Amino acid sequence: MSYDTQLPHSPAPAAMRNGLGTAALILGIIGTLSGLIPLFFWLAGILGLIALVLGLVGKGRVKRGEANNKGVTLTGAILGLAALILSVVGAVITFTAVSEAVDELDKLDNSLKDSAPKDPGGKAAQGKALAAGDTIEYEDGLKVTVSAPKAFTPDEFAVGHTEGNKAYQVTVTIENSGKKAWDSAGTMPKARTGKDGAEAEQILGDKLGVVFDGSVLPGKKATQTFGFDTPAAAKSLTVEVEPGMDHDATQWDLKLG
């Protein structure tokens, strides 16, 4: 007589649920690396928050015996927290840089506005040239005046005068009523004449200026007399003065004869 002996079966070990810890570690690493780049602060914040949450949930699984990757889960949670901190730092750096850039643009815009010319009696605003003796005033306090033209006879050593043409001289006065010294170096008037606006050649000679030079202190003036060669039949002379690159050019329509 035989007896069948049945041994009790031991339960199969439960599978470890380590997925959350692994995911927390991966997202924490990516989030931390993203946080090192200020412009990616938003990505670091999102990944860091997800990694922290997954790490905390995974830690609970480890405590309940449902997972055995305690080190991985803890590291993922720590990296998630680090990514969140880096995202805050990156946001501060980015917004500060943007704010400083906006401030610099505002300063540049204000600087350009300061150098824009004021309306001298409405003529400049209407796009018309000024008349002899009129003054253009810029917002930084710089004032430019061009006198009426005077006919003169160039000496024998003068350059730029053609026989049969007429020579005229105009006086340009630049006054600095601002608060800072103004560098006049390189400021040179240009002139055109006739209906076609042909360039009037500058006459170089004794007591005639070529360009302004040096600086003009606040409250001071600089004056130069310039000569121009025009056809004998010319009835007008248009003189243009641009007092430096920071100021708009202004024209004066001067009657001849």
Side-chain angles (χ1 to χ4, degrees):
M1 185 174 182
S2 63
Y3 297 92
D4 293 331
T5 304
Q6 294 183 351
L7 299 175
H9 295 283
S10 58
M16 294 292 98
R17 302 171 64 187
N18 294 331
L20 291 181
T22 303
L25 178 63
I26 295 174
L27 294 179
I29 293 174
I30 299 175
T32 302
L33 293 177
S34 300
L36 297 176
I37 305 175
L39 291 178
F40 287 164
F41 68 89
W42 56 273
L43 180 60
I46 294 174
L47 296 181
L49 179 60
I50 296 175
L52 180 59
V53 172
L54 293 181
L56 294 177
V57 175
K59 183 179 178 181
R61 287 185 176 180
V62 172
K63 286 184 178 181
R64 294 192 299 270
E66 299 174 2
N68 60 0
N69 60 342
K70 179 179 180 181
V72 171
T73 302
L74 182 60
T75 302
I78 293 174
L79 289 176
L81 180 60
L84 283 174
I85 295 174
L86 289 174
S87 71
V88 174
V89 174
V92 172
I93 293 175
T94 301
F95 292 139
T96 300
V98 171
S99 177
E100 291 178 352
V102 171
D103 290 341
E104 289 298 323
L105 290 176
D106 288 341
K107 290 179 181 179
L108 178 60
D109 183 58
N110 291 333
S111 176
L112 294 176
K113 289 181 179 178
D114 289 341
S115 64
K118 293 181 179 179
D119 176 13
K123 295 180 180 179
Q126 298 173 8
K128 295 181 180 180
L130 304 183
D134 283 347
T135 299
I136 181 74
E137 180 178 357
Y138 295 85
E139 291 188 3
D140 61 356
L142 205 65
K143 300 178 181 179
V144 182
T145 306
V146 176
S147 71
K150 294 182 180 180
F152 77 103
T153 301
D155 59 41
E156 57 181 332
F157 301 105
V159 177
H161 177 59
T162 300
E163 186 176 356
N165 285 355
K166 289 186 178 181
Y168 290 90
Q169 61 184 20
V170 296
T171 300
V172 179
T173 301
I174 300 179
E175 179 182 358
N176 183 6
S177 60
K179 298 180 179 180
K180 297 181 180 179
W182 172 71
D183 185 9
S184 67
T187 300
M188 178 178 65
K190 301 176 182 178
R192 294 189 294 273
T193 186
K195 294 181 180 180
D196 297 332
E199 181 179 358
E201 186 172 356
Q202 185 175 353
I203 300 175
L204 307 179
D206 186 32
K207 298 182 180 180
L208 293 177
V210 179
V211 294
F212 280 89
D213 192 17
S215 61
V216 182
L217 297 176
K220 300 296 183 180
K221 297 181 180 180
T223 302
Q224 286 275 18
T225 299
F226 300 89
F228 294 101
D229 193 55
T230 69
K235 300 298 182 181
S236 64
L237 180 69
T238 300
V239 176
E240 180 178 287
V241 180
E242 182 179 6
M245 297 179 62
D246 295 334
H247 299 77
D248 293 336
T250 303
Q251 295 182 356
W252 283 258
D253 192 9
L254 310 178
K255 294 181 181 180
L256 302 177

